[in-house]
Amino acid sequence: MTADRIKPVQPLSIADARLGLYHVFVRDLELACSIGVHGHELGTTQCVRINLDLAVREGGGVRDDNIANVVCYEVIVAGARRIAGRGHVKLVETLAENLAAMCLEDQRVHSARVRIEKLDAFEDVKSVGVEIERFNP
């Protein structure tokens, strides 16, 4: 394929005034998590890195300086900590699904993109993991 046929990948724009969406995000939250399918991963914790991107519906109400009118990232971080600390999960995919479901509990959240990285899986690899995106109807 020639260079003039290659189209660059454009990043997803989450904040979009035309669609009435704003972007709430959590970057590089590192937590100790009991995760993995292998015997050596049971009974111990590994460091995971969590990134969350939420497309949030602005709503038609008055915009004021009231935290009740927004999706609070402090609540999202506390929820992520709670989920990561509630017990062993085998799959990174399961952790990602649980985090996405928690984010989507707030009906103002249109979509949740969740990226989970295991930082200690391989000595010679910086990280491995998954990224998912889920939507509220």
Side-chain angles (χ1 to χ4, degrees):
M1 182 178 277
T2 63
D4 56 39
R5 288 189 187 170
I6 298 173
K7 294 183 181 184
V9 175
Q10 298 296 318
L12 178 66
S13 176
I14 293 176
D16 190 329
R18 292 167 298 174
L19 297 175
L21 297 174
Y22 69 96
H23 184 194
V24 173
F25 60 90
V26 175
R27 288 285 171 264
D28 299 331
L29 174 61
E30 292 188 10
L31 299 172
C33 184
S34 180
I35 190 165
V37 297
H38 301 291
H40 69 275
E41 295 174 305
L42 299 173
T44 187
T45 61
Q46 297 181 61
C47 189
V48 296
R49 179 182 298 130
I50 298 170
N51 283 278
L52 306 170
D53 292 286
L54 311 180
V56 179
R57 295 177 184 101
E58 290 181 345
V62 176
R63 294 182 188 161
D64 60 13
D65 203 23
N66 185 343
I67 195 166
N69 296 331
V70 297
V71 172
C72 177
Y73 49 79
E74 185 176 14
V75 171
I76 299 298
V77 169
R81 288 182 173 134
R82 186 177 61 256
I83 289 169
R86 70 180 176 200
H88 189 82
V89 294
K90 292 180 184 177
L91 301 175
V92 177
E93 291 84 351
T94 303
L95 179 59
E97 291 289 351
N98 292 339
L99 289 167
M102 178 266 304
C103 292
L104 294 171
E105 286 174 0
D106 188 321
Q107 292 301 305
R108 295 172 294 184
V109 177
H110 171 68
S111 67
R113 179 173 285 180
V114 179
R115 181 182 182 97
I116 308 292
E117 298 172 79
K118 287 173 71 172
L119 304 179
D120 304 324
F122 300 98
E123 234 178 78
D124 58 344
V125 177
K126 187 173 182 175
S127 69
V128 296
V130 301
E131 182 174 283
I132 65 169
E133 186 174 29
R134 299 294 179 261
F135 295 89
N136 259 331

